[in-house]
């Protein structure tokens, strides 16, 4: 267990009907790290970060965030909007009827930030998408859409950033660009990032830690370099060594 | 799903259950069980009466023929307008669908105008073939619409994979046609049910079918128990037919929104001009010819001026419009609540219940409502326009719910969740995200149901309270004694009001949706 963890899963179980997706898992994360979540499709990666965001309830167990009990069993103690997390959905969930500007301004306006115009302009520059300010999401390229989704959560200054395979259909070069952006941002602001991917090479290159899910259990959790030394056959197979 | 939408859905379910389901269920069970003995003798009597048997036979023959013709022609047009590179196919398809929005009684008057003008013998005009012909022209678009929807769901990659192995002809018969089978079958059944329940067309052409027989028993002879037992037989026929296809029909998307989910393969036609002429000729023949004839018949007739007709129909026109607007709003609100139930809570029973209510013939719905609400205690419904609104809900809720559910499925949960994580409260999220994205579907529902309400004759003629005048009912009652040219003139007024509604709505929709998006940001 980490000292003063920012996130702590304790004996967490989650099932959908008969299907047990997460089976009594425990792990903890210290602040300011980038964790790649790996696992086959259907292994519960999305479920894990949805639980963390407060979008789903547990069957059993507790989730602590910042030392505070956030979810206990089927009760959400800290609601999603109070968790100070950012969530980038697999489909990005950009509002199709809002321009880029208004997509990014949405959260600021909801949180009564009067100075939102200047803040949005700032982040548009920072992310190099100022040219798309008044475009609608469907007028953007895949990479630009990713950046907008990232900027939309970024303006809200999350302490935890959850990304669900956000780059699944980007080309290698763009991927690299955005990956660098995420790392740069993260170090700037002391953010903890959960990054779901199915590409273990990407995980090895990018992350501080790797969490590998298999069959409802945590198959591996540790420094990303150490995964190469693991002697579990499943891990070896998964990362093809 | 939050509490507000739970309350909305729960409230809608109670309203629908009490106002619509209860009368329908009590018609069936009330007469089967309470007066059990009586009904059974009634049923045996029915099959001994020649006229009744003949009317059932007529109904079945008409419906089978109309279904065959509609599905066959509808399938051809669906293929032509969705699977080929025919120029103008979108416009042509839109024009083809137009008769769906025209009230059947107007179409009937228009065609009789054509035939009488051509000097076709009255025996033929006022007869079974004419009913089959008119029903087919009305339901070809419906079949084409359903089949085209199914064609659009065949992904290009399936066809391309097939084309790697074989030629297009084999592909068509081995892959495409089998994939179309549920749509073909469903549209056949749907057209059958709608034809067997149709009242206005056979009534105007004085062809004795089952619905007109029921109507006569009920309104002319006041023989309620006969009318009800006939009604139950008709209902049983419809529900039994729908049962096997329940799953497909209750899930079939009626209108789809947003981008098409699949890439589509189109066939390049060799002689485009030929097919263009065929498509165009059909539309001219079926849509424009009868309407033109309506105009000319009224002009030829020596009787009545346009202004006089408008004056004659004005009160009914006004009442119709008002009631239809209120009715359509009500149906759309309930449709929204029921769409929430079926899409968000995944309650499958909802779709089936609505489909069954929809499949119950309008005349039966009318009888059920009259029987249930015609009591001193419920007179506040029976004696007022409220009963017409209830009839609209019973008739059209299924359609509205389908349209709105289709829209709701285009708004992924992640939109709502993204807003909530960013700190937006549920109602704010609904107002800014869900509602604007649903506006298109809600408006389409309002629009289509409005057109349906304005055209609805069968239930309204059964339930309308004294003092209210409803346009189709007014025209229908005047028809009996008016000369043909006056009837044509009246239908022309009704047609013009329907067409102007369509125009206003289509213009309004564009405006509204653009505005909506700008305002919500
Ligand atoms: N809302 C849900 N209802 C039922 N089953 C679900 C639901 N969400 C996820 N599942 C199931 O849980 C399993 C894990 O899903 P998910 O966490 O999305 O996997 P991953 O993101 O690793 O591909 C899958 O088998 C999926 O079908
Ligand atoms: Mg996933």
């Amino acid at each position: 267990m980490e000292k003063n963890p920012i996130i702590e899963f304790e004996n967490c179980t989650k099932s959908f009907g008969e299907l047990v997706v997460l089976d009594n898992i425990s792990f903890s994360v210290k602040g300011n790290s980038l964790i790649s979540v790996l696992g086959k499709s259907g292994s519960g990666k999305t479920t894990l970060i949805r639980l963390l965001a407060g979008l789903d309830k547990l069957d059993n167990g507790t989730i602590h965030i910042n030392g505070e009990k956030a979810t206990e069993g089927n009760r959400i103690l800290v609601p999603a909007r109070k968790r100070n997390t950012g969530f980038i959905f697999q489909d990005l969930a950009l509002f199709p009827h809002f321009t880029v500007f208004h997509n990014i301004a949405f959260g600021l306006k909801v949180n009564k930030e009067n100075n939102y115009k200047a803040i949005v302009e700032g982040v548009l520059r920072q992310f190099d998408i100022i040219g798309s300010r008044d475009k609608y999401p469907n007028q953007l390229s895949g990479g630009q859409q990713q950046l907008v989704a990232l900027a939309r959560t970024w303006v809200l200054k999350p302490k935890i950033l959850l990304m669900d395979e956000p780059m699944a259909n980007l080309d290698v070069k763009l991927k690299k660009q955005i990956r660098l952006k995420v790392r740069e941002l993260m170090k700037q602001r002391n953010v903890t990032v959960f990054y779901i991917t199915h590409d273990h090479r990407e995980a090895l290159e990018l992350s501080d830690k790797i969490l590998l899910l298999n069959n409802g259990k945590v198959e591996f959790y540790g420094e990303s370099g150490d995964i190469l030394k693991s002697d579990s056959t499943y891990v070896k197979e998964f990362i093809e060594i | 799903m939050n509490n507000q939408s739970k309350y909305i859905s729960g409230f809608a379910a109670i309203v629908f259950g009490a106002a619509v389901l209860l009368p329908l269920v009590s018609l069936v069970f009330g007469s089967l069980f309470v007066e059990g003995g009586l009904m059974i003798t009634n049923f045996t009597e029915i099959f001994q009466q020649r006229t009744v048997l003949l009317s059932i036979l007529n109904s079945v023959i008409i419906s089978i023929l109309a279904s065959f013709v509609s599905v066959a022609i509808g399938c051809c047009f669906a293929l032509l307008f969705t699977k080929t590179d025919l120029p103008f196919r979108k416009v042509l398809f839109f024009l083809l669908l137009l008769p769906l929005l025209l009230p059947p009684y107007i179409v009937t008057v228009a065609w009789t105008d054509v035939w009488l003008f051509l000097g076709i013998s009255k025996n033929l005009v006022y007869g079974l073939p004419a009913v089959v012909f008119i029903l087919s022209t009305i339901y070809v678009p419906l079949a084409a619409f359903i089949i085209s929807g199914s064609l659009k769901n065949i992904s290009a990659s399936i066809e391309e994979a097939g084309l790697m192995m074989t030629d297009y002809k084999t592909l068509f018969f081995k892959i495409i046609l089998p994939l179309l089978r549920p749509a073909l079958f469903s549209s056949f059944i749907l057209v059958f049910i709608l034809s067997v329940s149709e009242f206005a067309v056979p009534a105007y052409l004085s062809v004795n079918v089952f619905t007109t027989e029921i109507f006569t028993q009920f309104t002319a002879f006041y023989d309620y128990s006969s009318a009800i037992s006939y009604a139950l037989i008709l209902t049983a026929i419809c529900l039994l037919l729908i049962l096997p296809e329940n799953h497909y029909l209750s899930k079939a998307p009626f209108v789809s929104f947003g981008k098409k989910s699949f890439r589509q393969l189109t066939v390049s036609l060799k002689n485009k001009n030929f097919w263009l002429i065929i498509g165009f000729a059909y539309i001219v023949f079926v849509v424009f010819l009868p309407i033109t004839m309506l105009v000319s018949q009224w002009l030829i007739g020596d009787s009545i001026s346009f202004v006089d007709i408008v004056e004659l129909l004005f009160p009914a026109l006004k009442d119709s419009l008002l009631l239809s607007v209120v009715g359509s709003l009500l149906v759309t609100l309930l449709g929204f609540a029921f769409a929430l139930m079926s899409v968000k809570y995944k309650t499958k029973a909802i779709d089936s219940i609505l489909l069954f209510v929809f499949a119950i013939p309008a005349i039966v719905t009318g009888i059920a409502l009259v029987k249930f609400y015609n009591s001193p205690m419920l007179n506040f419904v029976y004696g007022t326009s409220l009963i017409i609104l209830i009839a609209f809900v019973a008739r059209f809720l299924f359609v509205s719910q389908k349209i709105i559910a289709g829209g709701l499925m285009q708004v992924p949960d992640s939109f709502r969740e993204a807003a909530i994580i960013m700190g937006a409260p549920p109602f704010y999220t609904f107002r800014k995200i869900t509602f604007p994205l649903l506006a298109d579907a809600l408006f389409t529902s309002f629009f289509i149901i409005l057109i349906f309400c304005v055209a609805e004759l069968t239930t309204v003629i059964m339930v309308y309270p004294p003092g209210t005048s409803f346009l189709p009912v007014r025209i229908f009652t005047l028809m009996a004694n008016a000369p043909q040219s006056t009837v044509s003139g009246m239908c022309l007024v009704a047609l013009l009001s329907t067409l102007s509604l369509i125009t206003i709505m289509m213009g309004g929709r564009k405006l509204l949706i653009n505005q909506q998006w700008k305002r919500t940001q």
Side-chain angles (χ1 to χ4, degrees):
Chain A
M1 287 280 139
E2 311 273 357
K3 277 177 233 141
N4 299 329
I6 178 171
I7 293 159
E8 203 177 346
F9 275 65
E10 232 184 290
N11 305 108
C12 294
T13 299
K14 172 73 183 174
S15 37
F16 293 106
E18 296 285 284
L19 178 75
V20 182
V21 178
L22 298 175
D23 185 6
N24 198 22
I25 64 167
S26 303
F27 66 90
S28 59
V29 176
K30 70 174 187 335
N32 192 21
S33 44
L34 200 160
I35 298 140
S36 286
V37 183
L38 287 172
K40 286 188 193 151
S41 136
S43 59
K45 305 181 295 291
T46 301
T47 307
L48 183 84
I49 62 168
R50 285 179 60 88
L51 287 165
L52 192 49
L55 292 172
D56 283 331
K57 297 165 187 167
L58 281 167
D59 300 345
N60 267 309
T62 22
I63 299 171
H64 286 266
I65 297 176
N66 272 327
E68 196 181 355
K69 223 182 250 178
T71 304
E72 184 171 42
N74 60 9
R75 284 183 309 146
I76 303 275
L77 302 176
V78 181
R81 66 194 151 88
K82 296 258 169 73
R83 291 193 180 194
N84 205 0
T85 53
F87 199 121
I88 303 202
F89 290 82
Q90 198 156 18
D91 64 0
L92 300 181
L94 295 178
F95 305 138
H97 57 315
F98 286 5
T99 58
V100 167
F101 178 91
H102 286 102
N103 260 288
I104 300 175
F106 183 84
L108 293 168
K109 284 200 273 187
V110 168
N111 290 296
K112 309 259 172 335
E113 173 59 65
N114 289 327
N115 196 21
Y116 70 90
K117 281 198 182 111
I119 300 177
V120 176
E121 299 285 347
V123 84
L124 283 169
R125 280 204 188 81
Q126 189 189 354
F127 280 69
D128 209 19
I129 40 177
I130 188 81
S132 310
R133 186 186 184 280
D134 297 316
K135 288 189 182 159
Y136 285 93
N138 64 2
Q139 298 169 305
L140 305 178
S141 71
Q144 288 170 325
Q145 291 179 351
Q146 309 273 351
L147 287 172
V148 174
L150 200 56
R152 186 172 74 171
T153 42
W154 197 247
V155 285
L156 299 175
K157 299 195 164 68
K159 290 307 285 178
I160 303 170
L161 181 58
L162 309 170
M163 304 173 78
D164 192 350
E165 275 187 84
M167 311 210 245
N169 38 27
L170 285 192
D171 62 52
V172 182
K173 209 173 126 207
L174 266 174
K175 258 188 188 175
K176 190 149 193 141
Q177 239 173 42
I178 293 180
R179 233 156 36 203
L180 288 176
K181 188 100 214 163
V182 171
R183 264 213 95 85
E184 170 202 323
L185 291 168
M186 191 195 119
K187 296 299 169 196
Q188 245 176 42
R189 268 205 214 144
N190 252 340
V191 181
T192 300
V193 181
F194 274 74
Y195 184 92
I196 294 184
T197 171
H198 56 257
D199 179 354
H200 61 274
R201 266 159 307 211
E202 191 182 13
L204 278 168
E205 193 182 318
L206 174 76
S207 50
D208 304 317
K209 293 201 159 194
I210 289 178
L211 190 149
L212 173 62
L213 289 173
N214 175 35
N215 226 341
K217 298 284 190 192
V218 176
E219 188 76 38
F220 174 89
Y221 177 55
E223 301 294 324
S224 46
D226 291 346
I227 198 167
L228 297 167
K229 300 176 212 148
S230 163
D231 38 45
S232 142
T233 45
Y234 182 82
V235 173
K236 279 187 176 149
E237 237 168 67
F238 194 86
I239 58 173
E240 295 164 9
I241 45 174
Chain B
M1 183 85 342
N2 49 53
N3 284 335
Q4 278 142 348
S5 48
K6 264 185 199 143
Y7 291 137
I8 296 174
S9 307
F11 182 69
I14 292 170
V15 169
F16 181 71
V20 176
L21 279 187
L22 205 58
L24 288 171
V25 171
S26 75
L27 179 77
V28 175
F29 288 94
S31 40
L32 275 186
F33 295 131
V34 182
E35 311 160 46
L38 177 101
M39 290 314 282
I40 286 165
T41 46
N42 255 342
F43 283 128
T44 48
E45 268 169 28
I46 290 168
F47 292 105
Q48 285 155 8
Q49 283 172 316
R50 254 184 66 86
T51 49
V52 181
L53 271 183
L54 213 63
S55 76
I56 296 182
L57 195 66
N58 276 344
S59 276
V60 171
I61 292 173
I62 287 172
S63 307
I64 289 179
L65 289 176
S67 310
F68 263 117
V69 176
S70 303
V71 173
I73 300 180
C75 184
C76 294
F77 281 123
L79 286 168
L80 189 61
F81 293 152
T82 37
K83 283 309 279 184
T84 70
D85 60 348
L86 190 76
F88 307 115
R89 58 184 184 280
K90 291 231 167 74
V91 182
L92 287 175
F93 197 46
F94 174 79
L95 290 174
L96 180 77
L97 294 181
L98 215 57
L100 266 185
L101 297 177
L102 302 181
Y105 68 91
I106 296 182
V107 179
T108 313
V109 173
W111 275 111
T112 41
D113 280 352
V114 175
W115 293 325
L116 293 178
F117 176 79
L118 292 178
I120 291 173
S121 105
K122 286 209 169 177
N123 290 334
L124 218 55
V125 172
Y126 295 93
L128 197 140
V131 179
V132 173
F133 178 87
I134 291 172
L135 288 178
S136 301
T137 67
I138 295 174
Y139 294 128
V140 161
L142 183 65
F145 188 60
I146 294 175
I147 296 165
S148 149
S150 171
L151 274 173
K152 282 184 191 147
N153 271 333
I154 301 175
S155 149
S157 49
I158 293 182
E159 290 177 52
E160 280 160 354
L163 283 177
M164 302 291 219
M165 296 175 267
T166 178
D167 58 356
Y168 201 86
K169 203 176 131 204
T170 323
L171 177 82
F172 181 78
F173 287 104
K174 294 278 181 209
I175 313 268
I176 299 182
L177 218 51
L179 285 172
L180 278 188
R181 199 178 297 145
L184 293 172
F185 203 57
S186 302
S187 44
F188 184 88
I189 286 178
L190 208 58
V191 174
F192 186 94
I193 285 176
L194 291 171
S195 311
V196 95
S197 324
E198 177 57 41
F199 167 74
V201 178
Y204 182 74
L205 294 176
S206 326
V207 173
N208 186 30
V209 293
F210 209 23
T211 48
T212 54
E213 184 66 33
I214 295 173
F215 184 74
T216 314
Q217 294 296 338
F218 198 76
T219 56
F221 299 143
Y222 300 104
D223 184 352
Y224 290 165
S225 76
S226 290
I228 289 170
S229 20
Y230 299 174
L232 288 181
I233 294 174
L234 185 61
T235 309
I237 294 176
C238 292
L239 293 190
L240 282 178
L241 272 172
I242 218 148
L243 218 48
E245 286 296 277
N246 165 22
H247 184 70
Y248 182 85
L249 279 174
S250 64
K251 283 278 169 249
F254 273 59
V255 181
S256 47
F257 293 91
K259 45 187 182 304
K260 293 280 165 290
S261 39
F262 293 113
R263 206 161 43 91
Q264 277 206 265
L265 207 64
T266 50
V267 179
S268 184
L269 285 176
K270 279 197 205 81
N271 29 15
K272 290 197 177 67
N273 287 340
F274 172 75
W275 290 109
L276 200 60
I277 288 169
I278 295 270
F280 200 67
Y282 178 86
I283 287 163
V284 166
F285 179 65
V286 159
V287 183
F288 293 108
L289 175 70
I291 292 176
T292 317
M293 211 37 94
L294 208 56
V295 179
S296 63
Q297 276 305 85
W298 160 66
L299 285 176
I300 289 165
D302 42 13
S303 51
I304 185 164
S305 79
F306 196 74
V307 181
D308 288 335
I309 296 175
V310 172
E311 234 162 57
L312 183 70
L313 294 179
F314 186 72
L317 204 60
K318 202 184 66 194
D319 281 7
S320 270
L321 201 59
L322 192 70
L323 265 172
S324 300
V325 167
V326 176
S328 175
L329 273 177
L330 181 69
V331 172
T332 300
L333 276 177
L334 288 173
F336 171 65
F338 277 85
L340 271 184
M341 272 186 257
S342 98
V343 175
K344 294 293 172 195
Y345 301 138
K346 318 237 181 314
T347 32
K348 294 199 185 71
I350 293 290
D351 298 274
S352 302
I353 291 174
L354 293 186
L355 174 67
F356 282 151
V357 170
F358 177 71
I360 292 175
I363 193 131
V364 180
T365 309
I367 291 180
L369 294 181
V370 170
K371 235 200 131 222
F372 185 78
Y373 288 107
N374 187 7
S375 78
M377 228 174 61
L378 292 173
N379 214 41
F380 72 97
V381 177
Y382 186 64
T384 64
S385 306
L386 220 50
I387 196 160
I388 296 184
L389 297 181
I390 293 175
F392 287 159
V393 172
R395 293 296 299 140
F396 306 130
L397 185 57
F398 173 74
V399 179
S400 165
Q401 188 257 9
K402 281 269 91 64
I403 294 172
I404 298 172
L408 212 50
M409 280 188 265
Q410 301 285 317
V411 187
D413 282 343
S414 61
F415 287 6
R416 197 171 42 83
E417 290 172 343
I420 283 173
I421 288 184
M422 287 190 266
F427 187 66
Y428 186 84
T429 306
F430 176 78
R431 205 158 54 84
K432 294 284 184 178
I433 310 293
T434 315
F435 182 74
L437 291 176
L438 215 54
D440 201 8
L442 289 172
F443 192 78
T444 306
S445 158
F446 175 73
F447 165 50
I448 289 184
I449 305 298
L450 178 64
I451 304 282
F452 282 0
C453 288
V454 169
E456 176 65 11
L457 169 68
T458 316
T459 42
V460 179
I461 206 170
M462 309 279 295
V463 304
Y464 75 101
T468 3
S469 52
F470 202 76
L471 190 63
V473 177
R474 182 101 178 101
I475 294 179
F476 194 79
T477 42
L478 287 174
M479 264 180 191
N481 307 314
Q484 180 76 12
S485 70
T486 310
V487 175
S488 306
M490 291 192 296
C491 286
L492 205 58
V493 171
L495 181 70
L496 283 178
S497 46
T498 305
L499 287 180
S500 32
L501 266 184
I502 295 175
T503 318
I504 292 170
M505 287 289 170
M506 299 230 277
R509 173 173 163 187
K510 277 233 154 58
L511 243 137
L512 186 100
I513 292 195
N514 290 342
Q515 283 288 313
Q516 182 80 34
W517 282 25
K518 294 229 165 62
R519 207 152 28 84
T520 48
Q521 288 185 346

